[in-house]
Amino acid sequence: MNLVKLRSSLLLLLTAIVWGMGFVSQSAGSDSVGAFTFTSARSILACVALIPVIAIIRARTPAEKKKPIDKKITIKAGICCGLALTAANLFQQFGVSMTTVGKSGFITALYIIFTPILGIFIKKKCPKIVWLGVVLVVYGMYLLCMTEGNFSLQTGDLLVLICAVLFAVHILIIDYFSPKTDGVVVACIQFFVCFMASGALALIFEKPTLQQLSDGAIPILYAGLVSSGVGYTLQIVGQKGLNPTVAALIMSLESVISAIAGFIAYKIGFLSTDQSLSERQIWGCAIVFGAVILVQIPWENIFKKRKKE
């Protein structure tokens, strides 16, 4: 693996950690405000937080190394990413409220399989080893998240399934635009689009109050500044130079990290409900980690060296 791909993989791993640890804050926020309001509030926080970051990066970059930003492509990328992200987040938020955490976790993780399937339609080919990794990750997610003993799709499940498809679309949109423009600027625009779209829906259907926002302030701050501002920006920057399916596999570690973070939080007293992992779930974690490592190994180079020998 070259240094560029290694850097991208590490950034996406950090993305998964940020998202995985944000599960508690997202869940807590839904108790105080509606889905539209929560999504809008976290998005504007992320957007505002990125403005000084962009200014600092541009100011510290030497003039000879500054690349001109194509405004038309950048705005188009931000709008497309923003609309896809808004739809995915909202379908997930409503779906989770109608189904179990186990089912929603597994179904959301299916963006791993939807990414290469949708990629076929835009002529994105994947090595066979990546498809093997996809199968292993889906099986690992099943062991980790599906603990109810049965599986059937209800209304909430279908909403989360749509969310998984939309997350796959979001990944492919980023893959298309990331080589053509500045990822951090695109992230800032996408959050503004998400704020405007979900905010308009919040004013129509939820009519949020200052008291509601105050009650959910801490979860909203974490979700906005860390999960959204840091997480989605790392995703856009980290996807450069990586196959979108490989990127999806690495980011799927958020479910594993979420389970581990929940267990640690319970053990140290941050959560009151038992978050212990069963042997079945531990095997699921191990399979997912193994699959991600598997697709990162440069098998083609290894086989080429063996043929030469």
Side-chain angles (χ1 to χ4, degrees):
M1 181 187 296
N2 60 43
L3 291 176
V4 174
K5 288 187 176 180
L6 177 61
R7 172 181 171 275
S8 296
S9 298
L10 290 175
L11 287 175
L12 292 182
L13 176 60
L14 184 56
T15 302
I17 293 171
V18 167
W19 286 345
M21 294 180 67
F23 176 78
V24 174
S25 68
Q26 191 170 356
S27 179
S30 65
D31 294 334
S32 304
V33 296
F36 296 132
T37 303
F38 185 82
T39 302
S40 179
R42 68 183 289 187
S43 298
I44 191 59
L45 278 175
C47 176
V48 172
L50 285 181
I51 292 174
V53 173
I54 294 170
I56 292 170
I57 291 174
R58 299 292 292 178
R60 291 186 176 182
T61 304
E64 63 274 11
K65 291 186 178 181
K66 282 185 180 178
K67 294 181 180 180
I69 297 177
D70 189 317
K71 293 182 180 179
K72 186 176 180 180
I73 291 179
T74 301
I75 293 173
K76 184 178 179 181
I79 292 173
C80 291
C81 288
L83 292 175
L85 182 62
T86 301
N89 281 337
L90 292 176
F91 271 102
Q92 183 185 52
Q93 197 71 24
F94 283 113
V96 168
S97 67
M98 300 179 191
T99 188
T100 64
V101 172
K103 281 187 179 182
S104 62
F106 174 68
I107 297 171
T108 299
L110 290 179
Y111 70 77
I112 306 161
I113 191 70
F114 288 132
T115 299
I117 290 174
L118 293 177
I120 292 173
F121 296 99
I122 56 174
K123 297 180 181 180
K124 284 280 182 182
K125 294 182 179 180
C126 289
K128 292 179 181 178
I129 194 67
V130 172
W131 286 101
L132 175 60
V134 167
V135 173
L136 289 174
V137 167
V138 171
Y139 180 60
M141 290 295 183
Y142 176 82
L143 294 178
L144 176 63
C145 301
M146 296 298 295
T147 58
E148 291 88 347
N150 64 333
F151 183 79
S152 59
L153 287 175
Q154 305 298 327
T155 302
D157 305 327
L158 290 173
L159 291 176
V160 180
L161 185 64
I162 295 172
C163 148
V165 175
L166 290 169
F167 273 129
V169 171
H170 184 249
I171 289 171
L172 291 173
I173 291 173
I174 291 173
D175 179 70
Y176 175 78
F177 283 110
S178 59
K180 302 177 180 181
T181 186
D182 188 308
V184 182
V185 176
V186 170
C188 187
I189 296 172
Q190 93 167 344
F191 290 130
F192 182 74
V193 171
C194 197
F195 158 68
M196 292 295 290
S198 53
L201 293 171
L203 292 174
I204 295 171
F205 296 107
E206 293 174 351
K207 295 180 173 58
T209 65
L210 289 176
Q211 184 60 49
Q212 291 175 334
L213 292 172
S214 176
D215 292 341
I218 294 177
I220 289 172
L221 283 171
Y222 183 90
L225 299 179
V226 184
S227 291
S228 293
V230 175
Y232 284 111
T233 302
L234 287 174
Q235 179 198 3
I236 289 175
V237 176
Q239 270 195 234
K240 281 189 177 182
L242 276 187
N243 183 289
T245 302
V246 174
L249 282 167
I250 297 172
M251 289 185 289
S252 72
L253 287 172
E254 67 172 299
S255 294
V256 180
I257 293 164
S258 177
I260 295 172
F263 174 72
I264 295 173
Y266 168 70
K267 285 297 183 182
I268 63 178
F270 280 112
L271 293 177
S272 57
T273 55
D274 191 350
Q275 302 288 320
S276 299
L277 294 173
S278 65
E279 183 179 348
R280 169 194 174 100
Q281 290 173 312
I282 292 172
W283 273 110
C285 291
I287 290 171
V288 172
F289 272 110
V292 172
I293 293 171
L294 183 69
V295 299
Q296 296 301 304
I297 298 174
W299 294 105
E300 292 183 3
N301 294 339
I302 292 173
F303 289 135
K304 285 180 181 179
K305 286 182 180 179
R306 286 186 177 181
K307 285 182 180 180
K308 289 180 180 180
E309 292 175 357

